[in-house]
Amino acid sequence: METSNNTAAGYRVAPATSALNPLDWIALTLMILGGLNWGLVGTMNLDLVATLFGEGTGASRAVYILIGLAAVYGIVMAMRLGRRNG
């Protein structure tokens, strides 16, 4: 099995670690945290962001805005990675 040419089943595959820059990792982390928070809201009616920063406070709103911006950036990141690997 040859792995040095970085292909899988005839398709070019970008190395997973070099495909993401630091901003991509930050956005990905925020999206994961946002998803986990929504999972807690859905399963246990617990909004962890509101619990940590206060409901409706400027800090909690800032966290929600950052997570939302990360999600928008995630759309752009997914399209960029799709073009690179496609």
Side-chain angles (χ1 to χ4, degrees):
M1 179 174 181
E2 185 178 320
T3 58
S4 62
N5 67 359
N6 198 24
T7 60
Y11 295 100
R12 180 108 175 113
V13 178
T17 55
S18 67
L20 301 177
N21 63 45
L23 184 57
D24 295 341
W25 283 108
I26 292 168
L28 186 58
T29 302
L30 285 171
M31 287 187 286
I32 290 169
L33 292 174
L36 291 172
N37 189 60
W38 276 110
L40 288 171
V41 169
T43 58
M44 300 190 306
N45 199 26
L46 171 66
D47 186 345
L48 192 58
V49 173
T51 301
L52 292 175
F53 299 104
E55 191 165 335
T57 64
S60 63
R61 288 177 49 91
V63 171
Y64 293 131
I65 289 169
L66 285 174
I67 291 171
L69 289 173
V72 172
Y73 182 82
I75 295 168
V76 174
M77 180 175 50
M79 289 189 296
R80 186 185 75 228
L81 291 172
R83 263 187 270 122
R84 182 182 299 165
N85 294 331

